[in-house]
Amino acid sequence: MHRLKRLAVIGAIVAAALPALPAHAAVTPVQANGQLKVCGLRLCNAQGKQIQLRGMSSHGIQWYSQCLNTASLDALAGDWQADVLRISMYIQEDGYETNPRLFTDRVHNLIEQATARGMYAIVDWHMLTPGDPMYNLSRAKTFFTEIAQRHNGKNNVLYEIANEPNGVSWPTVKSYAEQLIPVVRQHDPDAPILVGTRAWSSLGVSDGASETEVVNNPVNAANIMYTFHFYAASHGTSYLNALSRAADKLPMFVTEFGTQTSSGDGGNDFTRSQQYIDLMAQKKISWVNWNYSDDERSGAVFTQGTCPGGPFAGTSRLKPAGVWIRDRIRTPDDF
């Protein structure tokens, strides 16, 4: 046999004996997709292909930054094969307002960490209490100006400008978005911006309303998506159906969900969760699960005491919700 042909045969035999590597091992999500954009009702990659991102949200970085270290982020990108990390920076609750410099720098660092691993990064302005985003408008302008100035050369950053507006009307949330979006766009014209919806980002469902208030009065801006949050043990058919209807009329992104109750604790409803997962796959709705920490609640994926030492890869330190969500993040992407 010719020497080159013999080497080729040997190479083929060796390759056949090796386990197939996941797509993420060779090409990272950002390498595969590049700069994302909203095209019609979907999130699309640089080639115009509709895609779905799947990943994890941090817990509040004022409490659980020790769960976001080199080993844990390596595991999230490599073992979990996550496409996206949501960086959850609370504004109140001992967060940003207590030390803007510290928390802005912490977000800068985590964006760099996600970037180094080829993941997308959602910068989550985690306003929760008070629920009126206008309360933090000037803080948000300061923060997002610096973030957009620093990272506008990257193609992997998404801006979530209001986590869970509550106790206010949709026109108030819309007005906030229309004041803040130009601040981001001035420095980063291309990144998708994620807009929170009324009643804890439930499209108003938690206040007895529906997605029609957004459909009939959308934010006046391009390249934006609207967020929806659900906790499967609390949020049943009415929430699921609202998300399904909304996704046929609005660009939707589920930036937070859990398999348990809306407290992030309690028993897991994996049956209902799977219904949401199936819907989001069908309609190419990107999603991020809450949360990548070792908090005592059932929604934190790691058992208490896992952080900072780990191990973070595999399932030995995962709670039931962690095992379940890791498996679904690891399902091969369609890109």
Side-chain angles (χ1 to χ4, degrees):
M1 185 183 291
H2 191 278
R3 180 175 180 272
L4 290 177
K5 186 179 288 187
R6 186 168 66 248
L7 289 174
V9 171
I10 293 170
I13 293 171
V14 171
L18 293 172
L21 290 173
H24 287 66
V27 180
T28 69
V30 176
Q31 287 173 334
N33 294 295
Q35 177 65 61
L36 306 179
K37 58 183 178 294
V38 181
C39 54
L41 298 176
R42 301 291 181 257
L43 185 64
C44 291
N45 67 14
Q47 293 77 46
K49 177 183 174 65
Q50 295 181 359
I51 66 165
Q52 181 198 45
L53 301 180
R54 302 188 298 254
M56 291 299 300
S57 177
S58 75
H59 204 318
I61 59 173
Q62 78 277 41
W63 299 314
Y64 290 97
S65 61
Q66 70 273 19
C67 291
L68 303 170
N69 57 36
T70 298
S72 72
L73 294 174
D74 283 350
L76 185 62
D79 177 64
W80 288 58
Q81 300 170 28
D83 305 316
V84 57
L85 169 67
R86 182 187 190 229
I87 302 163
S88 181
M89 184 189 71
Y90 282 72
I91 318 309
Q92 279 72 49
E93 292 89 19
D94 301 321
Y96 175 85
E97 70 174 1
T98 67
N99 192 335
R101 183 72 267 144
L102 171 71
F103 286 104
T104 303
D105 287 343
R106 200 166 280 181
V107 172
H108 283 316
N109 175 260
L110 288 167
I111 293 172
E112 298 295 350
Q113 296 285 345
T115 302
R117 292 164 175 81
M119 291 188 289
Y120 289 93
I122 296 173
V123 179
D124 166 30
W125 183 252
H126 203 86
M127 49 71 55
L128 183 61
T129 305
D132 183 355
M134 290 293 191
Y135 180 82
N136 289 305
L137 179 60
S138 64
R139 294 183 182 95
K141 288 181 175 180
T142 298
F143 171 78
F144 280 110
T145 294
E146 180 172 330
I147 295 295
Q149 284 177 327
R150 176 81 61 90
H151 302 285
N152 61 12
K154 295 181 173 67
N155 62 357
N156 66 319
V157 179
L158 299 90
Y159 300 87
E160 184 175 0
I161 59 173
N163 166 57
E164 288 188 350
N166 59 87
V168 294
S169 68
W170 169 245
T172 297
V173 181
K174 177 177 181 286
S175 176
Y176 165 84
E178 290 175 350
Q179 292 179 66
L180 192 56
I181 288 170
V183 173
V184 177
R185 289 275 179 255
Q186 179 183 352
H187 303 289
D188 193 344
D190 299 323
I193 293 177
L194 311 176
V195 179
T197 58
R198 184 162 73 89
W200 299 277
S201 285
S202 71
L203 290 165
V205 177
S206 288
D207 276 351
S210 75
E211 76 285 351
T212 57
E213 65 181 21
V214 182
V215 172
N216 295 336
N217 189 20
V219 171
N220 182 23
N223 203 23
I224 66 167
M225 308 188 85
Y226 299 92
T227 70
F228 187 79
H229 294 176
F230 68 87
Y231 283 82
S234 295
H235 300 144
T237 304
S238 62
Y239 288 79
L240 183 70
N241 291 343
L243 176 60
S244 180
R245 293 190 306 266
D248 292 337
K249 295 185 176 181
L250 299 166
M252 298 300 302
F253 196 126
V254 172
T255 54
E256 184 179 316
F257 83 91
T259 55
Q260 50 293 129
T261 69
S262 55
S263 67
D265 204 1
N268 294 290
D269 188 337
F270 292 131
T271 300
R272 177 72 71 189
S273 298
Q274 190 62 49
Q275 292 174 347
Y276 278 103
I277 291 286
D278 292 343
L279 172 68
M280 293 186 291
Q282 174 195 344
K283 301 202 174 186
K284 292 283 189 184
I285 302 170
S286 296
W287 54 256
V288 178
N289 179 261
W290 180 269
N291 67 78
Y292 199 67
S293 84
D294 63 352
D295 177 20
E296 73 276 7
R297 297 173 183 85
S298 59
V301 295
F302 296 111
T303 55
Q304 283 185 273
T306 300
C307 305
F312 300 100
T315 59
S316 65
R317 295 304 299 263
L318 294 181
K319 296 174 187 166
V323 173
W324 192 89
I325 199 64
R326 173 181 173 273
D327 184 53
R328 279 145 187 83
I329 292 174
R330 284 167 56 90
T331 302
D333 289 310
D334 179 27
F335 56 69

